[in-house]
Amino acid sequence: MAAAGRAPSLWQRVCAEYEAEQPQFPDIPGSKQESVSLEAGISQPFDRDHFYSVPEELLPIAEAAAFPQPPDPKTCSPAEYLEYYIFPVLLPGMAELLHQAEKEKCFERKRTKFIACDFLTEWLYNKNPKRKDDPFTEFFCIPFVKDWLKDHPRPPIPLSLLLSEEEASIVIQSFWRGYRVRCDSGIQELRQWQKQLREEKNIINRVKEFWMKQEAKGN
C-alpha cells in the first residue's frame, strides 16, 4: 500500500492494473480461489492486442517522477531502483518490442528471423540520453556488440527465414515448374540419352583431350 499523501509508484500501478484484470469468483471459498483462477486464466483465449498494449501513462520517461526527489541509486532499495531507474526506460522498449514482433509475424509463426534481445538492445542503445544527438546505430554496428561477436560468432541465419513471402513463393514455384518439366516423357528420354552418352563416350575426357590438343597447337 502506498503511504498516506504519496502517489502510488509505477510498480504499484502496474500491479493494481494486473489484479483488476483477473477474473473474480465470488461464490468460491478464498482457500480455493487461487488455484481456480490459475486454471481459468490458462483456459482463456490469448488476447494479442491486450498483450502488447501498454497504458499511455506508462510510456513517457517523465513518469519516473513518482518520487518527490530521485533516490540515490547507490543507497536506495531494489524496489525503488527498479521503479525509478529501470521501469520508466524498459517499459517503452518492451512496448516497441511487442509492436515489432507483431510486424515480424512472431505471433503467427513458430520460427522467424526476429531476435527480441537484439531489437531491445538496439532500441535501448539509441534511446540512451547520452546519445540523443548521435545518429541511429544498427545492432551489428554497436561497438560492444561488434566486440562480442568477434569472440562469439553466430551461425548464419537459414535462408528460409531471410526470404520474404514473395521471394519464397518464387523459389517454390520455380522448383515446382522444373519438377513438372522433368516429369515429361520427352524430357525424361532426353536426359536418359544424355546420361548414356556421358557413360559411353566419356565426354569429360574427350573435352580434356580436345583442349590439350588446342593448347599444344598454340605452343
Side-chain angles (χ1 to χ4, degrees), residues 155-219:
I157 300 177
L159 181 61
S160 59
L161 299 181
L162 294 176
L163 294 176
S164 64
E165 291 186 356
E166 292 76 12
E167 293 170 336
S169 64
I170 292 174
V171 173
I172 295 172
Q173 292 172 7
S174 177
F175 173 82
W176 178 250
R177 286 195 297 268
Y179 170 76
R180 296 298 300 172
V181 169
R182 290 191 295 272
C183 289
D184 184 81
S185 59
I187 298 299
Q188 286 289 332
E189 183 179 355
L190 174 62
R191 297 183 68 191
Q192 187 65 29
W193 176 81
Q194 291 175 333
K195 179 181 179 182
Q196 184 178 359
L197 183 64
R198 287 193 299 268
E199 293 175 351
E200 294 180 354
K201 302 295 184 178
N202 204 348
I203 298 298
I204 296 177
N205 288 338
R206 294 185 64 178
V207 171
K208 287 183 179 179
E209 293 175 0
F210 171 80
W211 285 112
M212 288 175 63
K213 292 178 181 179
Q214 294 298 320
E215 292 175 357
K217 290 179 181 180
N219 296 333

Side-chain angles (χ1 to χ4, degrees), residues 92-144:
M94 295 297 294
E96 291 295 329
L97 169 65
L98 293 171
H99 283 295
Q100 186 64 28
E102 185 198 24
K103 294 179 182 178
E104 299 289 343
K105 300 185 177 180
C106 295
F107 303 110
E108 303 174 15
R109 301 173 179 173
K110 291 183 178 180
R111 298 176 65 226
T112 66
K113 66 179 179 179
F114 181 70
I115 302 177
C117 290
D118 290 0
F119 177 87
L120 190 58
T121 300
E122 179 183 271
W123 190 91
L124 292 172
Y125 182 81
N126 287 283
K127 293 296 182 179
N128 190 333
K130 297 180 180 179
R131 301 189 67 259
K132 62 180 180 179
D133 297 327
D134 296 342
F136 179 84
T137 304
E138 295 184 354
F139 174 77
F140 290 103
C141 296
I142 298 176
F144 65 82

